[in-house]
Amino acid sequence: MIKRLLIANRGEIAVRILRACRELDIEVVIAHSRVDDLQRYLALADDTVCVSARSYLEGAPFVAAAQSRGCDAIHPGYGFLSENAEFADLVTSEGLVFVGPTAEQLRLLGDKSAARQRLFKTGVPVLPGTPFLADASEAANAAEEIGYPVLLKAAYGGGGRGIRIVRESRHMATEFEQAQAEARVGFGRDEMYLEKFLEAPRHIEVQLLGDGAGQVVHLGTRECSLQRRHQKVLEEAPAFGISHQQLDEVCNIAVTAASALNYRNAGTFEFLYEDGAFYFIEANGRIQVEHPVTEEVTGVDLVKAQLQIASAEHLPFSQNDVVIKGHAIECRLNAETLDVETGHVSPSPGDVKVFELPAGIGVRVDTHVRAGEAIPHQYDSLIAKIIFKGRDRTECMTRGRRALAELNIAGIATNLTLHQRIMTNEAFREGHVHTGFIEQLLIDWRRRRYSR
Ligand code: ADP
Ligand code: ADP
Ligand code: MG
């Protein structure tokens, strides 16, 4: 059993993990960078430790901190060290529990190209694509075979970065070089692969929990098509507008594949959906940003489940216990400025002067931010997740409009207006969502400005 846990992360997910620990009577130590020294959420922990590491990316100082503070486990949250197989190895070799998959599983899933090939063998449908490409000419040959447009993807990419569309063969050479250079800087590795590009698919994913001994349950689907530059902005659970039979099918495919890997931990299988068919794109071996929408419709605390699996190595419940009820939506509130004319988004760090949160029936806010606090420029711009739930999607959206209207933030710019526009958008209300939805919304927004 885990008794004292070190959180190797920051912000809202650090608070989220702390809350699950409190309910399980696990003591919490939050390790933080110098930049986060004055963050007020640190006061929630039993103890804190400032690791003088290069931000939250260097593993060894977190392991040393866990040992010096008497911890027996480390939770990596999402981003940062969460999918780092060497970190998982280091944590376990020092006799600590890593709250996540095995290092071997992280190694497989971390290479998106290898994961595609491996999971295809267990019956998971994938898009036409390639293994690693040696150079631009190999990429050009493969693209001819697949047919343009294609996507160049960094095998070790993530967070929506390291992805480039190539529409014509004459652009392949330059795009390949640039994508590779970007991947080198962003991920420290530059292996590239190709995938057929779909023009307007939906992003639908399956939430899983595995015990590491072959038992896997799914907690249904999420709709995550509302994205900007391949990054999720708003997510829903469950997916809608697709038959229950087909959604069950994709859930079962994911369960079968994860069971074959003896998958351990919470995990997500991501798919694109177009013209009635699902295509796997990647699997994430960690808790995801959008996990609360699944919690809201299943009643399952996913972080608690992660900790229970890591402690006891068995699932706290079975598939028959999972019942999906109602509909939930999450809005990612980011500290950012949107230039509607160009569609360009820039971070908006600074001091939060006023922060009044929505409340009432069916509303949940996951945040670490308090009024009077500074948002540092060094990290991700996510400052809060506004989550709401209704008996069905219509009630959920109505509640969402009410909740977003109650939210009051001053001192920094946020994407609140964008969320309000989405929540009142006709096409969104009717469920006509796809990965190009926000881009289209911005075009309409501009057009209305000119016609005024
Ligand atoms: P989710 O589906 O949980 O939203 P994302 O892909 O958006 O997953 O990633 C969650 C967080 O982790 C984001 O803050 C994102 O920037 C970060 N992240 C994920 N993968 C990487 C990576 N390979 N490199 C840098 N940041 C990453
Ligand atoms: P990351 O590891 O950065 O999360 P993903 O492979 O999950 O990268 O893709 C992120 C997003 O990019 C998807 O949700 C989708 O919007 C878009 N995308 C990825 N692959 C394709 C594809 N083959 N065709 C069209 N869009 C894609
Ligand atoms: Mg993804």
Side-chain angles (χ1 to χ4, degrees):
M1 292 303 283
I2 299 172
K3 290 202 175 65
R4 191 170 163 94
L5 177 133
L6 183 112
I7 300 175
N9 212 303
R10 67 178 306 281
E12 72 85 17
I13 195 63
V15 175
R16 173 70 192 86
I17 297 164
L18 178 138
R19 286 182 170 142
C21 289
R22 287 278 174 260
E23 292 185 21
L24 288 170
D25 266 330
I26 295 173
E27 290 174 2
V28 175
V29 179
I30 301 182
H32 63 91
S33 69
R34 260 189 225 303
V35 175
D36 282 334
D37 239 350
L38 298 176
Q39 293 278 321
R40 291 217 299 246
Y41 69 85
L42 297 179
L44 296 169
D46 296 298
D47 200 0
T48 61
V49 48
C50 181
V51 291
S52 43
R54 189 173 53 84
S55 85
Y56 292 87
L57 289 165
E58 224 174 284
F62 286 96
V63 175
Q67 287 170 326
S68 76
R69 302 293 155 130
C71 296
D72 44 19
I74 298 186
H75 196 307
Y78 55 67
F80 299 127
L81 291 163
S82 62
E83 292 168 282
N84 185 321
E86 283 72 49
F87 181 62
D89 266 336
L90 179 65
V91 172
T92 13
S93 71
E94 292 296 321
L96 303 170
V97 173
F98 177 71
V99 183
T102 65
E104 188 201 354
Q105 288 163 358
L106 282 179
R107 242 168 232 122
L108 172 70
L109 302 182
D111 173 353
K112 292 163 67 176
S113 161
R116 280 175 95 251
Q117 293 169 65
R118 171 71 192 276
L119 294 174
F120 179 66
K121 287 189 198 140
T122 60
V124 176
V126 299
L127 287 162
T130 69
F132 289 165
L133 298 159
D135 51 34
S137 89
E138 197 176 301
N141 290 339
E144 286 305 329
E145 222 164 277
I146 294 168
Y148 286 93
V150 293
L151 264 194
L152 264 174
K153 294 174 109 170
Y156 292 93
R161 296 178 306 131
I163 297 178
R164 269 162 184 261
I165 306 174
V166 188
R167 293 194 176 274
E168 293 173 55
S169 59
R170 63 193 172 95
H171 296 143
M172 183 57 90
T174 44
E175 291 293 332
F176 189 89
E177 312 276 298
Q178 284 177 13
Q180 211 173 27
E182 268 176 25
R184 219 171 289 139
V185 175
F187 316 114
R189 302 195 59 162
D190 64 1
E191 290 87 344
M192 305 298 300
Y193 69 106
L194 273 183
E195 208 171 74
K196 175 75 190 160
F197 174 69
L198 300 180
E199 292 288 350
R202 288 171 67 181
H203 174 120
I204 289 172
E205 57 186 37
V206 179
Q207 176 68 56
L208 302 173
L209 282 173
D211 67 354
Q215 287 300 313
V216 177
V217 298
H218 72 78
L219 290 98
T221 53
R222 288 188 289 259
E223 158 61 65
C224 309
S225 300
L226 267 60
Q227 305 179 354
R228 222 198 99 265
R229 305 223 172 113
H230 313 303
Q231 285 175 351
K232 296 161 187 163
V233 172
L234 177 151
E235 305 96 342
E236 310 188 43
F240 50 88
I242 299 171
S243 74
H244 286 299
Q245 191 195 334
Q246 216 187 344
L247 289 175
D248 277 347
E249 212 171 287
V250 75
C251 289
N252 291 332
I253 286 171
V255 167
T256 305
S259 310
L261 299 178
N262 277 341
Y263 184 73
R264 182 184 77 197
N265 189 36
T268 303
F269 273 45
E270 298 190 333
F271 294 86
L272 296 180
Y273 177 80
E274 194 173 78
D275 296 333
F278 282 99
Y279 306 96
F280 170 84
I281 47 171
E282 67 158 343
N284 293 319
R286 56 170 161 86
I287 193 76
Q288 280 192 280
V289 176
E290 61 273 22
H291 75 275
V293 289
T294 298
E295 296 185 326
E296 291 304 312
V297 298
T298 59
V300 172
D301 182 326
L302 283 166
V303 180
K304 223 186 213 181
Q306 278 189 300
L307 294 165
Q308 286 167 327
I309 290 167
S311 277
E313 298 197 325
H314 65 77
L315 292 174
F317 52 82
S318 72
Q319 190 67 60
N320 287 334
D321 300 320
V322 180
V323 181
I324 290 159
K325 203 164 162 235
H327 194 87
I329 298 180
E330 167 183 285
C331 296
R332 294 192 191 194
L333 190 69
N334 294 335
E336 63 186 29
T337 314
L338 169 65
D339 180 341
V340 179
E341 294 314 316
T342 60
H344 187 76
V345 170
S346 42
S348 166
D351 294 330
V352 178
K353 301 224 160 62
V354 178
F355 198 29
E356 291 164 1
L357 299 176
I361 183 170
V363 179
R364 160 178 171 184
V365 180
D366 279 20
T367 186
H368 61 293
V369 174
R370 324 273 173 88
E373 195 161 50
I375 306 294
H377 66 86
Q378 285 91 341
Y379 304 115
D380 200 89
S381 61
L382 181 71
I383 55 171
K385 305 189 300 202
I386 318 297
I387 303 133
F388 25 90
K389 183 193 175 178
R391 282 168 300 178
D392 54 30
R393 188 166 185 264
T394 305
E395 185 178 58
C396 185
M397 289 184 292
T398 310
R399 190 155 283 156
R401 284 195 290 282
R402 187 270 289 169
L404 293 177
E406 284 178 25
L407 180 66
N408 185 15
I409 182 161
I412 54 162
T414 72
N415 60 347
L416 175 61
T417 312
L418 174 66
H419 283 299
Q420 287 172 326
R421 281 192 175 249
I422 294 168
M423 214 52 63
T424 51
N425 180 279
E426 189 70 28
F428 177 75
R429 284 217 299 263
E430 285 170 9
H432 301 308
V433 294
H434 55 89
T435 55
F437 183 93
I438 290 188
E439 210 171 308
Q440 187 57 49
L441 184 114
L442 291 178
I443 293 170
D444 296 344
W445 190 341
R446 261 170 246 152
R447 209 175 277 147
R448 282 206 195 115
R449 277 192 165 182
Y450 292 131
S451 61
R452 242 195 281 140

